[in-house]
Amino acid sequence: MLNLRSLLVLLSCLALYPSTALAETGPINLTASPIGIIALGLFFLAYLLVMAEEKIQLRKSKPVLIAAGVIWAMIGWRYMQAGLAVESESAFRHTLLEFSELMLFLLVAMTYINALEERRLFDGLRAWLIRSGFSYRTLFWISGILAFGISSFANNMTTAMLMCAVVMKVAEGDKRFINLSCVNIVVASNAGGAFIPFGDITTLMVWQAGIITFNEFFTLFIPAVVNFLLPAVIMSLFVEKRSPSGHSEAVELKRGALRIMCLFLLTIATAVAFHSYFGLPPVLGMMTGLGYLQFFGFFLRKTLPGSLARKKAMAERAGDIERIRSLGQVVPFDVFSRVARAEWDTLLFFYGVVVCVGGLGFIGYLELLSTALYTNWDPTSANVVLGLMSAVVDNIPVMFAVLTMNPEMSHGHWLLITLTAGVGGSLLSIGSAAGVALMGQARGNYTFVGHLKWAPVILLGYAASVMCHLWLNAELFTIFGRL
């Protein structure tokens, strides 16, 4: 398995390989210059701070934002000296456009998820699981399967945290079961987002780049299931055959919860239609979907007084004082408050990483990396190694680097890197946003070492999913070119 040190050695030695021209590489090769070396060092320093986020309590967006600014400032200064300021400005604007489309897409998705959370849809799901009184083994499987399914339309971090909350509520104090379930949830959440374009940032990036059609992503469904099921079956054998003590919790969904869920599905359908039938970026469909939510929010606010009056009258007839008091505390639904609650640290981290990688590509490092991996190695080996690398380096820069390099690969190989970058992060607890989030949420119960114990089992699932894709989708490895 690659670690940061071996990756640094790889990048440092790339100058030994002959280079090929990439459109994103600037006219001045800075890979061997002090500016290039400093930029590379800054990126790795920033990433070390990102990896230590849980330890030092420094939000991950801060170091990459600083690194991005300094890297491009150095590039701008060097190109200004050479009279090529227009080239560096154009390259940065291109990188910024790449980020902007993805950010707006994610922002809409996060807004819908936050709206569903505010309407207590996820609380209702959690309450149902708790009331059902399932055994530990059943809860292990239900939490994993739900994490796999929900992460196909919600981001893996939100999904993992929801399922973790259920497990911790039901199995309070049982550290062994909580750790094992969290490992299963992380694997399931990452696998569930690998077979659908909007299930993960990496799949979204490939889809928006126009490389793979919407329908082709679903060919990764069975490999993704294998990636989840194989480790889950083995880990489930170590779950004790007993049931937790019973809990009771009643949750009332807020008005409009199910209708917002339907609007979310309509928004996703709109994004797919805009891209598939009109040849427009999916982000346009998502922003249109934000308009759906805004109109529905307007409807909820306008009809709130009448709804409260009816509910209050019913509570008064029933003599329910607590119900009357709770109705007096109802806050009108506000779309913009849901936008404000988006994971801005994640979005800014995403910006910093994309801009940093864009700068390193403009300097010339991605050209060298492309040669090292995709010219001197076969695409299958390169994609498998990059997937393993995503266990240490976040899959966002890994996928953005591959897209920027744009190696000549078949659709099967593009789907392979989508799969491996998406699920490779499951090998370590720090390899994905889901794992990092759960280490904070289940502090003391789910740990880096606790996850590491199951890394061989997870690696087995990783290898099986790759082999499954190579076998089931062999015909896609003969299709080349962008669509």
Side-chain angles (χ1 to χ4, degrees):
M1 186 184 301
L2 290 180
N3 54 31
L4 277 177
R5 183 178 299 175
S6 60
L7 178 60
L8 181 58
V9 171
L10 171 64
L11 288 170
S12 301
C13 295
L14 289 178
L16 297 174
Y17 297 93
S19 62
T20 57
L22 287 176
E24 290 79 8
T25 301
I28 305 175
N29 192 323
L30 300 174
T31 53
S33 70
I35 288 178
I37 295 171
I38 292 172
L40 194 60
L42 275 174
F43 180 67
F44 279 103
L45 175 61
Y47 231 89
L48 286 173
L49 292 174
V50 168
M51 292 176 61
E53 177 187 18
E54 187 66 26
K55 186 76 173 178
I56 63 179
Q57 299 297 308
L58 177 71
R59 287 189 177 273
K60 60 182 175 291
S61 61
K62 295 178 180 178
V64 292
L65 284 173
I66 297 294
V70 174
I71 287 171
W72 277 98
M74 291 191 299
I75 292 172
W77 177 81
R78 179 65 181 87
Y79 274 73
M80 183 75 76
Q81 298 296 311
L84 298 172
V86 174
E87 281 76 3
S88 60
E89 179 188 6
S90 176
F92 175 76
R93 289 185 183 277
H94 175 75
T95 301
L96 185 62
L97 178 62
E98 292 273 353
F99 164 76
S100 299
E101 289 188 9
L102 290 167
M103 186 210 72
L104 291 174
F105 191 107
L106 291 171
L107 183 62
V108 176
M110 288 179 176
T111 300
Y112 265 102
I113 294 300
N114 287 332
L116 292 172
E117 185 178 17
E118 189 271 340
R119 297 284 98 178
R120 307 199 70 186
L121 187 70
F122 295 139
D123 287 338
L125 173 62
R126 182 178 62 193
W128 172 76
L129 288 172
I130 292 172
R131 289 196 308 269
S132 300
F134 295 116
S135 68
Y136 275 131
R137 184 165 291 181
T138 303
L139 180 63
F140 174 88
W141 278 108
I142 289 177
S143 61
I145 292 171
L146 285 176
F148 183 89
I150 295 173
S151 64
S152 64
F153 63 87
N155 68 79
N156 59 359
M157 183 173 68
T158 300
T159 301
M161 293 181 71
L162 168 66
M163 291 296 103
C164 179
V166 174
V167 170
M168 291 185 66
K169 183 75 173 181
V170 177
E172 185 175 358
D174 193 329
K175 293 185 178 181
R176 185 174 180 273
F177 176 73
I178 292 174
N179 182 80
L180 191 60
S181 293
C182 284
V183 174
N184 184 48
I185 288 168
V186 169
V187 174
S189 298
N190 290 334
F195 67 90
I196 196 163
F198 38 79
D200 188 74
I201 294 178
T202 52
T203 55
L204 175 61
M205 293 166 77
V206 175
W207 181 43
Q208 289 209 145
I211 297 172
I212 302 298
T213 64
F214 184 86
N215 293 334
E216 280 181 320
F217 281 97
F218 291 101
T219 61
L220 292 177
F221 175 73
I222 295 179
V225 170
V226 170
N227 181 269
F228 157 58
L229 278 184
L230 186 56
V233 169
I234 297 174
M235 288 189 290
S236 69
L237 300 177
F238 294 86
V239 178
E240 297 181 18
K241 295 181 178 179
R242 61 189 181 91
S243 299
S245 57
H247 294 272
S248 179
E249 182 181 5
V251 172
E252 179 185 358
L253 299 184
K254 291 186 179 181
R255 198 166 59 101
L258 297 179
R259 283 173 285 181
I260 290 177
M261 184 68 210
C262 292
L263 287 177
F264 188 26
L265 296 176
L266 178 60
T267 296
I268 292 172
T270 303
V272 173
F274 272 50
H275 187 65
S276 300
Y277 299 112
F278 307 132
L280 297 169
V283 65
L284 181 58
M286 291 298 287
M287 293 301 291
T288 303
L290 183 59
Y292 303 159
L293 184 59
Q294 287 181 310
F295 267 102
F296 186 64
F298 175 79
F299 167 78
L300 289 178
R301 288 194 303 275
K302 286 294 185 182
T303 57
L304 179 61
S307 174
L308 288 177
R310 289 192 299 273
K311 291 180 179 179
K312 186 177 180 180
M314 293 173 61
E316 288 175 344
R317 286 196 297 270
D320 191 342
I321 304 300
E322 186 63 31
R323 174 67 167 165
I324 296 172
R325 185 181 297 112
S326 66
L327 289 173
Q329 299 172 350
V330 172
V331 177
F333 180 79
D334 182 10
V335 171
F336 292 104
S337 68
R338 300 303 100 200
V339 174
R341 289 177 59 85
E343 286 288 333
W344 284 101
D345 183 57
T346 299
L347 292 174
L348 292 176
F349 166 72
F350 188 23
Y351 163 83
V353 166
V354 168
V355 173
C356 281
V357 173
L360 294 177
F362 192 66
I363 287 172
Y365 284 116
L366 294 187
E367 179 182 342
L368 298 179
L369 183 60
S370 178
T371 300
L373 290 179
Y374 291 101
T375 300
N376 297 295
W377 291 11
D378 64 278
T380 300
S381 300
N383 291 335
V384 170
V385 168
L386 284 172
L388 294 174
M389 189 185 298
S390 69
V392 181
V393 180
D394 192 271
N395 59 1
I396 295 173
V398 169
M399 182 56 74
F400 187 75
V402 174
L403 289 170
T404 305
M405 290 185 281
N406 192 23
E408 182 65 26
M409 294 195 299
S410 66
H411 283 200
H413 283 115
W414 277 110
L415 287 168
L416 177 61
I417 185 58
T418 301
L419 174 69
T420 57
V423 304
S426 300
L427 287 164
L428 298 177
S429 62
I430 62 171
S432 66
V436 172
L438 294 202
M439 281 196 296
Q441 184 179 7
R443 190 187 305 273
N445 295 299
Y446 171 64
T447 63
F448 178 86
V449 175
H451 189 110
L452 188 63
K453 288 195 323 184
W454 298 100
V457 174
I458 299 170
L459 182 61
L460 183 62
Y462 177 86
S465 65
V466 170
M467 297 301 296
C468 185
H469 171 59
L470 294 174
W471 176 52
L472 288 178
N473 304 319
E475 70 280 359
L476 294 175
F477 288 85
T478 62
I479 303 175
F480 287 82
R482 289 176 177 260
L483 298 169

